[in-house]
Amino acid sequence: MLDHNSHLPFPPELLAKEAQALADKAEQSLASILLQGSTCSVRPHLAFLKLKHKVSYDQLARIARLLFKIFCNAKGDVATEARTASPLASVLQHLNKLPDCPPPGSEARLSIEWRPIYDALLRVQLSGASWEEYALRGGDIITGAEASSQHHKALLSLVRRARNFFAPSAAQEIMEELRPYLCPHEKSMYKAAALICKLLPDELGSAGGAGKLLTELAGVWEWVPNSLEWQLLWVTLFSRMARHNTEEMLAPLQPLLPALMSGLLRLLDVPSGKSTPQKEEQLGWPADCKFLCDKGDRCKEETVKKYTRIIVFTICPQSATFAHLTAVLDYLRPFFHPLQEGGYTKCLDMLLKMMTLNFAKRLGFESGAHRPKKPWRQPYKLTPDDRAAFTSLFLPLALTALASKDHSMSFGAAQALKDLAGISEAEVLPQLMQRMLSSMDNVMRPHEVQSAISLCGVVAAPMLRAEEGLDFMGQMLQLSLGGIDTNDPMKTMYTLNLFNALLSNMPLADPKDLPQASSKPEMLYQMQDWVSEVLERVFQLLQNVPPMKKGNPLRGHVQPLLRRFLDILLCQLSPSLYAAALDKIARKTNEMFYPPAKEFVGYLLDAAVLASPAQALAKLVPVLVRRIVAGGGVLAGSESEVAYFTHLLGHAVVRGGDALLAHSAEIDEVLAAVALREEAGALSEEASVPKEAHKLLRKTLHGLLAVYPSDFCSAPRSKLQWDKIKDFKALCAPLCAPAEAEIAFHVPSSASQQRARELVTRWVTGAKGKISEASVTPAGLRVAFGCLTACIRGGGSLFPPEEMDGGVLRGEGEEEDVEEDACVGLLSPVTLEDKAFGPAVRAELGQLLVAVCAKHALPDNPDVATLEALLPLVSFFLSSKGVWRKHAHLKSACNYNKGVHRFWDKGVGGSYSRRLLQLRSHSLLAQRLDMGVMKEDETAGKLLDVLAGLSLHEYSLVRKKAQELLPSVLKRYPLAHARLYGAVLQRLRDPAASKGVVSGVVYTMQKGEVLQRVARHWGLTTGLVEGLLASAVFDETKVQVRLAELWNQFVPYYHPVPFGGLAHPHALAQDPDVVQAMAGKDVQAEFAAGGERGAP
């Protein structure tokens, strides 16, 4: 289990102290909720799990027990059950991963009862009735479809995690409960069978063992041979039994193997003759069982995935599994050929890649390199002969499928070949090298070129470690240069993926930068030409980029890949290669003017500065400044040129750090010339000079104050001392153990903070003066608002909003609570030098905004453009902490890299590149910096009212903008929901409300997260119903249609609301977990604070 926190810029002892404090606080808060019978959300108290903190097994088990007791006491409260089930599932998932988690059967292991979960699931799905009553007359509880869906999704995720902790007797009890309903002539049979498949734990001893249970349930499985959902449920259960009870089920599995393999062939639906076969009529899945199996179009592929698990984990001498698999693949072999593609291709793709993946995982489990999340008991260990037989069976199929014109199939084949390379490296890699080189030279089949490039990127790491790997990769780098092609975005994407994978594992060096006695591969002598050519290709790509409109493939796919490639490329260059590349970038940037490509060119400058900030800024800043100002505040070119080069300058400074201090005068000269400059055109025009100047101000502040990784090299800086490298090959695809990654972050220095404070003070004062001018024009106001927005977004970390007190996570009513991640007082890598600066600036900005809103944020103000500029300013002031917020993108990139490039048969040190650890650590740090909820002071309250009021503005453009911003702001001020949405609903009772106001109410409330909160809050539900009843006075048809739509949107979220709160019997005051959690607190007083509701 990786410790990602060890790479963050914090002392380990402080992180351990923070983790303990957060866990103690969570335990105490959950005990308080339990004692009081509160219905407030438990999620905020568990946010420390997202921060990857280490917590002891005993404490996390106590937290899990407290959560389960809250879940049990919430009986009948649909919302609280769902809101507790999801966090509990997350806690159980973390608990099962802990190294010190006791094995199943141990008395020290946490035990979770299965029946409360089962009862809660049926209570909603059977509408409060029993099986028999529901079959006769239906149920009594009225729950909306959406509320019911959220409930069963949360509970099924809980079942998946909780069954690992069911008591040893659970299997017998579940079968005794559900076996009577397994009658093929009763419609309840489907539901009972699905519940068995979902609830049965992996420990099956109490039900007679896995062998006996398999024999019984296999008979039930055969009842319905032509239903995809039925097959998926049972095959999933059998795959779990095969993985965790292999020895017990091997004997009874043998007579079932022919039926299982026949079922797999029927599922794949491959042709069985020349004539079109008559297909079986597929049975539909009952509508009232959809909640138990709702994979939709992916049902067939998911079933194939589970079949592969059964096959792989039962391969052993005592089983005929491998013989049956060989026979099946002999029949399927022709259908892997590119000329035989059809409706079955996706399933064959899934079969191929999941067979090899599960085999690699099994090898990792057996070697101890990979720790399974569940107990691992395997009676037979795979031998080298088993590896060779498996490889010889699947390698020809994967090589054939690689040539497919179906992108999914070819990529799946590449994944399978990557896993086979890990299974039998010596046998597979030479064939892959030969195949890739022949495909790259085959100009008659361009799709094979893409497949070869894709495969090379996937197997880059083992290739580099091979004996001839470096020379081979040198050839591939040269041959794939033509893949960067504006006319073929898909090929460009594959090529960039290849370059990213290679450069994440291999630095690029000029031989003259290495010691004379060092070992220098031949491919290094081509690197100077290659770097020059690849940059030339990039600039050719940029000069032909079409306008980056929505739907452009270059924007959706190539843009993020190109940005990552440029970051890695320039960081991996040796000094001579970097200097040559920087000269070329500076020269081309000065010569080139193509506004559609400004984002791409900006990424190039940004990457160059990250690699060597002082060197790059000294080269780039003078070039760019000369193209913006000519001295004395005079612009050096047309407005479009000035806007273009100002945009590029913003990219150049965004990761400059302390190196920006040497260029303060030049940046100030540019800002002074353009930041508060009014234009005749609208501010929203693409070529707007002030707009780009505001971006420059924001990015300058960000460059001074941001915390980010200081390099993206494949090896730590301590090992990349070019004049001391003895063997270059040792730097390629290093097996980087996480503890040796040496990940460093840029943290703002005192001088950078001082410079940022000066910029904020200067431009806040300047914007404030502009606003206060008696003759200020609307364009002047918009320019001033943009300047203030830039100061807040870029320098907000100097004056963030005040965080909410960690002990006050709910309002006056039980229904007013925090649902967001609410860790308070987290460690920060930045120590602010001037403690008084932040509160003073924030108070000044707050007073200014309140005054501006009182003057301009009026319901009938026709100046739409000014209000559209004011809304983001108010929003960012309320919610921005001045940190980077796109950490979810980084996490997504990590998940992709982990899925594509990880070798499951290797240990942790051989599974991750340093680049992947950097991305994950950066994502975790950014999430930590962005986390938190804010205190609603007087200024914030007034501005929130303004934002809610503008969502009902007469002009639709203003309304839409406010409605877009309001939910994200309220995530920072969650206790304001009830007040603001109550005020919005109140407008429906106003007979003088205009059509615009009513439309604003409808579209403000007509969002899933808002309606969910309304349904849970009785006051808001009452306000909605009373408002809709009072709105009968509006006689316009369009208005009534919209109001009817609002009601129709609300009904699916409706569920009964418990007025008395949750049950909290007196026995809770003596509960051991509660008493331990509340150590030092008055348990009886806490219990009394909840009143007498639910107490017997």
Side-chain angles (χ1 to χ4, degrees):
M1 187 176 179
L2 282 178
D3 181 13
H4 292 288
N5 279 322
S6 63
H7 303 300
L8 300 186
F10 304 111
E13 59 276 8
L14 292 183
L15 276 172
K17 186 177 179 181
E18 178 186 270
Q20 189 61 52
L22 290 173
D24 291 344
K25 182 65 179 176
E27 195 175 355
Q28 188 179 101
S29 300
L30 294 175
S32 176
I33 290 173
L34 185 62
L35 283 170
Q36 295 184 23
S38 172
T39 60
C40 74
S41 176
V42 300
R43 177 184 167 187
H45 308 289
L46 302 171
F48 69 93
L49 293 177
K50 288 190 175 182
L51 300 178
K52 304 298 182 183
H53 275 310
K54 288 184 176 180
V55 181
S56 69
Y57 168 80
D58 291 335
Q59 185 163 28
L60 203 55
R62 290 197 301 271
I63 289 174
R65 285 194 292 269
L66 290 171
L67 282 169
F68 189 66
K69 289 165 187 173
I70 294 172
F71 173 81
C72 294
N73 288 352
K75 180 177 180 180
D77 183 355
V78 174
T80 303
E81 283 182 342
R83 293 202 300 167
T84 307
S86 293
L88 176 55
S90 179
V91 170
L92 294 176
Q93 181 183 11
H94 280 77
L95 196 64
N96 204 38
K97 290 180 180 180
L98 292 179
D100 57 341
C101 181
S106 170
E107 294 184 358
R109 187 175 175 87
L110 173 69
S111 179
I112 296 288
E113 299 177 50
W114 67 274
R115 190 169 289 277
I117 306 174
Y118 168 79
D119 290 342
L121 197 58
L122 291 189
R123 189 183 308 117
V124 175
Q125 302 307 323
L126 300 183
S127 301
S130 65
W131 288 83
E132 294 78 7
E133 290 173 340
Y134 185 75
L136 292 172
R137 62 175 182 81
D140 301 320
I141 296 178
I142 300 174
T143 303
E146 191 62 34
S148 175
S149 173
Q150 292 172 358
H151 183 267
H152 78 247
K153 286 178 181 177
L155 263 67
L156 288 178
S157 70
L158 174 58
V159 166
R160 183 184 175 196
R161 303 301 177 188
R163 64 189 176 210
N164 298 320
F165 297 94
F166 284 169
S169 61
Q172 178 185 357
E173 295 169 1
I174 290 168
M175 290 304 301
E176 289 175 353
E177 172 73 21
L178 295 172
R179 189 181 281 119
Y181 301 109
L182 292 177
C183 178
H185 304 295
E186 293 289 338
K187 75 174 200 176
S188 59
M189 184 258 303
Y190 288 97
K191 192 174 293 184
L195 286 169
I196 287 176
C197 295
K198 295 289 184 182
L199 287 169
L200 267 183
D202 298 325
E203 298 300 314
L204 303 172
S206 62
K212 179 181 177 182
L213 206 55
L214 176 65
T215 303
E216 176 186 354
L217 296 179
V220 180
W221 165 60
E222 293 174 341
W223 289 351
V224 188
N226 54 340
S227 169
L228 290 176
E229 289 83 0
W230 180 269
Q231 294 293 318
L232 174 59
L233 286 166
W234 288 109
V235 172
T236 301
L237 175 61
F238 296 159
S239 72
R240 287 201 288 120
M241 295 168 70
R243 182 169 172 176
H244 303 293
N245 302 274
T246 313
E247 190 170 12
E248 297 177 42
M249 67 172 292
L250 278 179
L253 178 67
Q254 302 312 303
L256 285 176
L257 282 174
L260 283 168
M261 294 302 177
S262 298
L264 176 59
L265 284 175
R266 284 199 305 271
L267 187 69
L268 294 173
D269 199 19
V270 294
S272 57
K274 292 185 178 179
S275 60
T276 304
Q278 183 177 0
K279 296 184 179 181
E280 291 180 328
E281 182 181 354
Q282 290 291 323
L283 289 179
W285 189 243
D288 63 342
C289 297
K290 282 285 186 186
F291 73 98
L292 289 167
C293 186
D294 190 17
K295 291 292 183 181
D297 295 337
R298 292 189 54 82
C299 189
K300 185 181 288 190
E301 295 169 52
E302 289 293 322
T303 309
V304 172
K305 184 190 295 186
K306 304 306 179 185
Y307 265 111
T308 63
R309 185 177 291 177
I310 296 176
I311 293 169
V312 167
F313 287 98
T314 57
I315 292 176
C316 62
Q318 296 90 353
S319 175
T321 304
F322 197 80
H324 283 283
L325 174 63
T326 304
V328 168
L329 290 180
D330 284 342
Y331 181 77
L332 293 176
R333 192 178 308 277
F335 303 105
F336 283 94
H337 195 278
L339 296 179
Q340 297 291 337
E341 292 175 356
Y344 45 79
T345 300
K346 284 189 177 181
C347 289
L348 290 179
D349 166 33
M350 182 66 74
L351 176 69
L352 180 62
K353 66 187 180 185
M354 292 309 299
M355 284 294 300
T356 56
L357 175 65
N358 281 316
F359 197 88
K361 280 189 175 182
R362 177 173 171 180
L363 289 174
F365 292 155
E366 291 177 354
S367 66
H370 177 62
R371 180 180 178 272
K373 297 177 183 177
K374 297 180 182 179
W376 176 250
R377 298 187 298 270
Q378 191 65 16
Y380 174 73
K381 190 172 182 179
L382 294 171
T383 64
D385 290 340
D386 294 323
R387 291 188 181 209
F390 185 87
T391 302
S392 63
L393 189 60
F394 279 92
L395 182 58
L397 297 179
L399 289 173
T400 302
L402 185 66
S404 173
K405 293 183 180 180
D406 183 281
H407 294 301
S408 176
M409 185 63 158
S410 63
F411 187 72
Q415 288 293 107
L417 289 168
K418 182 258 296 184
D419 291 323
L420 289 172
I423 295 167
S424 301
E425 186 172 303
E427 179 182 350
V428 174
L429 286 184
Q431 295 190 50
L432 295 188
M433 291 182 185
Q434 181 181 357
R435 176 61 179 272
M436 282 186 275
L437 288 178
S438 63
S439 296
M440 293 297 293
D441 292 332
N442 192 345
V443 295
M444 301 302 293
R445 296 182 179 179
H447 66 281
E448 290 192 13
V449 175
Q450 290 188 9
S451 299
I453 292 173
S454 174
L455 173 60
C456 188
V458 170
V459 297
M463 286 285 188
L464 287 169
R465 288 192 287 266
E467 185 177 353
E468 303 293 333
L470 276 178
D471 292 334
F472 170 77
M473 284 304 179
Q475 295 180 64
M476 286 299 296
L477 283 174
Q478 296 292 342
L479 292 171
S480 56
L481 272 173
I484 300 179
D485 186 353
T486 312
N487 297 318
D488 193 342
M490 183 62 71
K491 185 167 66 174
T492 302
M493 184 175 73
Y494 279 127
T495 304
L496 292 176
N497 266 325
L498 165 62
F499 291 164
N500 282 336
L502 275 175
L503 295 175
S504 293
N505 290 281
M506 177 182 70
L508 301 180
D510 191 321
K512 65 184 180 184
D513 290 329
L514 301 177
Q516 189 173 0
S518 69
S519 173
K520 305 180 184 70
E522 185 178 347
M523 54 93 64
L524 292 184
Y525 293 92
Q526 306 170 1
M527 282 301 99
Q528 190 165 9
D529 292 337
W530 184 86
V531 172
S532 178
E533 181 62 24
V534 79
L535 287 176
E536 192 65 39
R537 288 272 181 176
V538 168
F539 277 108
Q540 289 176 12
L541 176 72
L542 303 187
Q543 289 170 350
N544 294 280
V545 167
M548 299 297 286
K549 295 181 179 178
K550 189 176 182 181
N552 187 333
L554 287 173
R555 177 183 180 183
H557 303 289
V558 176
Q559 185 176 9
L561 282 174
L562 180 62
R563 186 172 194 177
R564 288 199 288 271
F565 163 63
L566 295 172
D567 277 348
I568 300 173
L569 171 67
L570 292 163
C571 278
Q572 289 283 67
L573 300 180
S574 67
S576 296
L577 292 180
Y578 176 78
L582 183 60
D583 286 340
K584 190 180 189 74
I585 291 169
R587 186 177 68 256
K588 288 281 190 178
T589 301
N590 188 37
E591 297 170 355
M592 180 179 173
F593 174 67
Y594 189 57
K598 64 181 182 181
E599 289 292 330
F600 291 90
V601 181
Y603 297 156
L604 188 55
L605 303 184
D606 182 6
V609 172
L610 176 67
S612 180
Q615 185 178 355
L617 287 174
K619 192 83 173 179
L620 296 172
V621 170
V623 171
L624 295 171
V625 170
R626 283 198 304 269
R627 298 301 302 268
I628 300 171
V629 291
V634 179
L635 301 187
S638 66
E639 290 193 352
S640 59
E641 289 179 325
V642 170
Y644 173 79
F645 286 104
T646 304
H647 182 90
L648 297 188
L649 182 58
H651 277 281
V653 302
V654 74
R655 287 188 287 189
D658 288 348
L660 285 175
L661 299 174
H663 303 278
S664 299
E666 295 161 290
I667 295 172
D668 286 344
E669 182 183 6
V670 173
L671 289 174
V674 295
L676 290 177
R677 183 174 182 274
E678 296 183 35
E679 289 184 326
L683 186 61
S684 59
E685 291 181 1
E686 189 173 348
S688 169
V689 173
K691 182 177 179 180
E692 298 300 345
H694 299 154
K695 288 183 181 179
L696 171 60
L697 174 58
R698 168 168 60 88
K699 291 179 178 180
T700 302
L701 289 168
H702 187 275
L704 292 167
L705 298 172
V707 181
Y708 53 86
S710 57
D711 72 87
F712 289 139
C713 300
S714 58
R717 289 289 191 187
S718 60
K719 296 181 179 179
L720 273 182
Q721 299 180 31
W722 300 100
D723 57 344
K724 297 181 180 178
I725 294 174
K726 296 181 180 179
D727 183 7
F728 181 82
K729 186 176 175 59
L731 293 176
C732 299
L735 296 177
C736 180
E740 301 171 359
E742 298 180 21
I743 296 173
F745 285 86
H746 164 264
V747 178
S749 64
S750 299
S752 291
Q753 290 187 44
Q754 175 62 30
R755 165 68 174 155
R757 288 196 296 270
E758 292 172 0
L759 284 173
V760 169
T761 303
R762 181 185 308 159
W763 292 106
V764 167
T765 304
K768 187 176 179 181
K770 188 80 171 178
I771 293 171
S772 62
E773 289 178 3
S775 58
V776 64
T777 62
L781 280 175
R782 294 194 290 273
V783 168
F785 293 164
C787 194
L788 290 174
T789 303
C791 290
I792 292 170
R793 293 183 66 185
S797 57
L798 294 174
F799 48 92
E802 185 180 355
E803 289 186 331
M804 186 185 297
D805 184 356
V808 187
L809 294 180
R810 55 178 178 238
E812 297 179 359
E814 276 297 314
E815 302 148 320
E816 300 173 15
D817 62 350
V818 175
E819 293 190 77
E820 307 302 321
D821 299 326
C823 283
V824 177
L826 296 177
L827 293 173
S828 173
V830 182
T831 302
L832 296 180
E833 302 289 336
D834 189 344
K835 305 293 185 183
F837 178 80
V841 171
R842 188 155 192 88
E844 181 183 3
L845 283 172
Q847 293 172 6
L848 176 61
L849 288 182
V850 169
V852 168
C853 290
K855 185 176 181 181
H856 298 282
L858 304 175
D860 54 353
N861 184 356
D863 189 356
V864 173
T866 298
L867 289 177
E868 285 187 313
L870 177 60
L871 278 167
L873 172 58
V874 173
S875 170
F876 284 118
F877 175 79
L878 288 170
S879 61
S880 177
K881 298 177 71 176
V883 297
W884 186 64
R885 303 195 66 182
K886 295 182 179 179
H887 43 80
H889 297 285
L890 276 182
K891 191 172 182 181
S892 175
C894 292
N895 292 337
Y896 172 82
N897 285 326
K898 182 178 177 181
V900 172
H901 297 292
R902 184 173 184 180
F903 285 82
W904 289 92
D905 57 311
K906 304 288 191 300
V908 172
S911 299
Y912 298 96
S913 66
R914 184 172 182 266
R915 170 69 171 151
L916 181 58
L917 292 172
Q918 286 172 325
L919 289 174
R920 190 65 189 91
S921 301
H922 188 197
S923 172
L924 183 61
L925 181 61
Q927 182 182 16
R928 162 187 285 271
L929 294 175
D930 188 42
M931 188 177 285
V933 290
M934 308 308 171
K935 180 180 179 181
E936 185 185 347
D937 55 18
E938 183 180 357
T939 300
K942 290 179 180 178
L943 294 177
L944 286 169
D945 290 338
V946 168
L947 205 54
L950 290 178
S951 66
L952 312 180
H953 197 270
E954 289 297 325
Y955 289 89
S956 62
L957 290 175
V958 178
R959 287 201 305 269
K960 289 177 181 178
K961 187 70 174 178
Q963 290 159 10
E964 177 188 346
L965 296 172
L966 186 60
S968 61
V969 172
L970 285 178
K971 287 182 178 180
R972 294 291 197 193
Y973 299 88
L975 298 186
H977 279 88
R979 177 174 63 82
L980 293 183
Y981 288 135
V984 169
L985 290 171
Q986 184 69 29
R987 296 303 301 275
L988 291 179
R989 305 184 198 182
D990 182 4
S994 65
K995 176 183 174 182
V997 170
V998 176
S999 297
V1001 173
V1002 172
Y1003 292 121
T1004 300
M1005 306 301 297
Q1006 207 172 17
K1007 294 181 174 65
E1009 58 187 85
V1010 178
L1011 292 175
Q1012 185 178 356
R1013 189 175 282 272
V1014 170
R1016 196 172 53 80
H1017 193 290
W1018 182 245
L1020 291 178
T1021 302
T1022 305
L1024 175 63
V1025 174
E1026 292 178 352
L1028 291 174
L1029 292 174
S1031 64
V1033 298
F1034 304 117
D1035 55 0
E1036 189 172 341
T1037 303
K1038 273 191 175 181
V1039 172
Q1040 289 300 324
V1041 168
R1042 287 174 181 168
L1043 291 169
E1045 288 174 352
L1046 176 59
W1047 175 250
N1048 289 337
Q1049 290 272 342
F1050 168 72
V1051 168
Y1053 290 91
Y1054 171 78
H1055 57 80
V1057 178
F1059 293 109
L1062 307 183
H1064 63 144
H1066 292 292
L1068 288 175
Q1070 284 78 42
D1071 185 281
D1073 292 323
V1074 173
V1075 172
Q1076 184 167 354
M1078 299 295 291
K1081 299 279 185 178
D1082 190 339
V1083 176
Q1084 293 297 335
E1086 198 74 27
F1087 180 84
E1092 295 300 323
R1093 56 176 182 260

